[in-house]
């Protein structure tokens, strides 16, 4: 028999430090931005994945200060990702592998990750999270204000069912190939009610029944060819219209849209700012991979720097702040022109 470790139940973990009511307010605000009832821009910013909770909390405090400074124009959300999807192999994130050595101490990862999320929420920021393993969702979902289903899981029925159940807006990323149809189908599926197996608070398998998530939406993350430019955004909005879905998109300035080159993120964000300033009201959000220091480092091979991403390369904070200023200025121009 393979080794087995018993995990704590969701109730044991979530009951230790109860949720603040601020999460419900954050979810409502983000929903209003996506529905364009709120003219501000959603900005999801933060590290590709959290590997050092103390350093990530330092970043969160910096971002919280910027969120207050730009609050008239931007709704800034901390990218607090604790799971990392992999095409083949690699570090899978703080929740499943908190020691970054493949030992897979998931129980410790759950407690460590939830503690970080609670501390990060204490800065006043809404939290963003990509749900990779549906079984782990029940340990963290109550703290999340904006969720993502990634390019590698957007075709997965369990992830679509999970999105239909989650009580917050969920962004569906276009798949790695760059095709939009899979994500559009995922949005439609998430909007419907479903019955599916899940984990109860006491850890038992149970039947979950979802009402459907009307706040599921499209995230353009590029593919072999970027899709952040005005023509690509317009084509995506046309595809959504043909599918009978609301005309709104969030655009990821990293991943396929930057070729995973963090030096190209400012150019992508600048192009998006121009589209916003020119009056594109359907461009509801922008995602940035940003951290304390520029670049990244291998997840293995010695002592790790706490301030440097161990997965995708990120923009350092000194290069992130001017981008937030640029986006805020673009939103003001869009509002003045409306």
């Amino acid at each position: 028999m393979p080794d087995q470790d018993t995990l704590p139940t969701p109730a044991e973990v979530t009951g230790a430090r109860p949720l603040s009511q601020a999460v419900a307010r954050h979810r409502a605000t983000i929903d209003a931005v996506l529905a364009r009832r709120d003219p501000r821009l959603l900005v999801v910013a933060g590290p590709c994945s959290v590997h050092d909770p103390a350093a990530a909390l330092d970043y969160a405090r910096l971002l919280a200060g910027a969120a207050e400074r730009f609050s008239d124009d931007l709704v800034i959300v901390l990218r607090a990702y604790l799971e990392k999807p992999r095409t083949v192999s690699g570090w899978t994130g703080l929740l499943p592998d908190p020691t970054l050595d493949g030992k897979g101490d998931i129980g410790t990862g759950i407690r460590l990750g939830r503690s970080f999320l609670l501390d990060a929420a204490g800065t006043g920021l809404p939290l963003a999270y990509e749900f990779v393993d549906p079984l782990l969702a029940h340990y963290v979902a109550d703290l999340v204000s904006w969720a993502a289903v990634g390019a590698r899981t957007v075709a997965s029925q369990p992830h679509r069912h999970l999105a239909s159940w989650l009580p917050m807006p969920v962004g569906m990323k276009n798949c790695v190939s760059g095709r939009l149809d899979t994500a559009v189908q995922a949005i439609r599926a998430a909007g419907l009610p479903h019955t599916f197996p899940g984990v109860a608070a006491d850890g038992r398998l149970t039947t979950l029944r979802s009402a459907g998530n009307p706040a599921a939406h499209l995230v353009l993350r590029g593919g072999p060819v970027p899709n952040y430019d005005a023509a690509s955004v317009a084509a995506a909005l046309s595809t959504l219209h043909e599918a009978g879905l609301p005309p709104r998109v969030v655009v990821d300035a990293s991943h396929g849209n930057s070729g995973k080159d963090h030096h190209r993120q400012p150019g992508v964000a600048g192009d998006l700012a121009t589209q916003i300033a020119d009056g594109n009201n359907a461009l509801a959000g922008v995602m940035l991979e940003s951290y304390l220091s520029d670049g990244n480092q291998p997840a293995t091979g010695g002592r790790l720097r706490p301030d440097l991403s161990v997965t995708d390369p990120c923009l350092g904070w000194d290069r992130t702040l001017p981008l937030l200023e640029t986006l805020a200025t673009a939103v003001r121009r869009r509002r003045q022109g409306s």
Side-chain angles (χ1 to χ4, degrees), residues 5-333:
D5 298 318
T6 301
L7 296 178
T9 69
E12 288 170 341
V13 176
T14 61
R17 294 176 65 179
L19 170 67
S20 165
Q21 293 301 312
V23 175
R25 295 195 297 272
H26 290 320
R27 290 171 178 170
T29 297
I30 293 169
D31 183 54
V33 171
L34 291 168
R36 310 313 297 136
R37 298 188 303 272
D38 185 324
R40 293 179 291 176
L41 181 75
L42 176 70
V43 178
V44 179
C48 175
S49 52
V50 173
H51 76 284
D52 186 296
L57 192 57
D58 288 340
Y59 176 88
R61 294 187 184 103
L62 291 172
L63 192 65
E68 183 175 358
R69 174 181 169 187
F70 300 119
S71 61
D72 288 345
D73 304 298
L74 308 178
V75 174
I76 295 178
V77 181
L78 173 66
R79 181 184 166 109
Y81 288 16
L82 306 179
E83 301 176 68
K84 178 69 178 174
R86 290 297 183 180
T87 301
V88 177
S89 65
W91 183 58
T92 52
L94 192 72
L95 242 65
D97 188 10
T99 51
L100 288 86
D101 56 7
K103 291 181 179 177
D105 186 357
I106 299 175
T108 296
I110 287 170
R111 291 187 173 93
L112 182 65
R114 184 170 175 87
S115 179
F116 165 73
L117 294 177
L118 283 161
D119 289 341
T123 67
L125 287 169
L127 305 183
Y129 193 92
E130 180 179 343
F131 289 96
V132 177
D133 191 323
L135 291 178
L136 296 178
H138 305 269
Y139 293 97
V140 298
D142 62 318
L143 299 174
V144 175
S145 297
W146 184 85
V149 173
R152 292 167 181 79
T153 52
V154 72
S156 157
Q157 180 168 285
H159 288 81
R160 293 176 177 189
H161 287 174
L162 177 65
S164 77
W165 173 83
L166 288 169
M168 77 284 292
V170 179
M172 301 290 192
K173 288 196 168 186
N174 66 256
C175 57
V176 176
S177 69
R179 290 178 59 118
L180 302 186
D181 55 347
T182 305
V184 170
Q185 292 161 4
I187 295 168
R188 294 177 62 195
L192 299 173
H194 297 282
T195 301
F196 57 100
V199 179
D202 62 5
R204 293 183 299 173
L205 284 176
T206 190
T207 299
L208 297 179
R209 294 179 175 87
S210 66
N213 190 336
H217 55 280
L218 179 63
V219 179
L220 301 177
R221 52 85 73 197
V225 176
N227 59 11
Y228 65 85
D229 58 282
S232 295
V233 171
L237 293 172
S238 177
T239 299
L240 290 169
H241 176 75
E242 291 171 3
L245 295 170
R248 57 190 181 188
V249 294
V250 173
V251 182
D252 185 351
S254 185
H255 298 99
N257 278 330
S258 68
K260 291 193 174 183
D261 179 352
H262 61 296
H263 296 300
R264 293 168 61 183
Q265 280 196 79
V268 177
D271 187 291
L272 294 170
T274 298
Q275 295 179 53
I276 293 165
D278 287 346
N280 189 338
N281 196 51
L283 213 169
V286 173
M287 299 183 70
L288 301 170
E289 283 197 313
S290 157
Y291 197 36
L292 293 169
S293 296
D294 236 39
N296 65 343
Q297 62 187 324
T300 57
R303 186 174 179 179
L304 297 176
R305 285 176 52 179
D307 62 323
L308 196 60
S309 171
V310 298
T311 46
D312 290 350
C314 297
L315 281 177
W317 178 249
D318 289 346
R319 299 175 70 190
T320 301
L321 194 57
L323 290 186
L324 298 176
E325 176 88 56
T326 297
L327 291 169
T329 299
V331 172
R332 286 196 295 274
R333 291 176 178 167

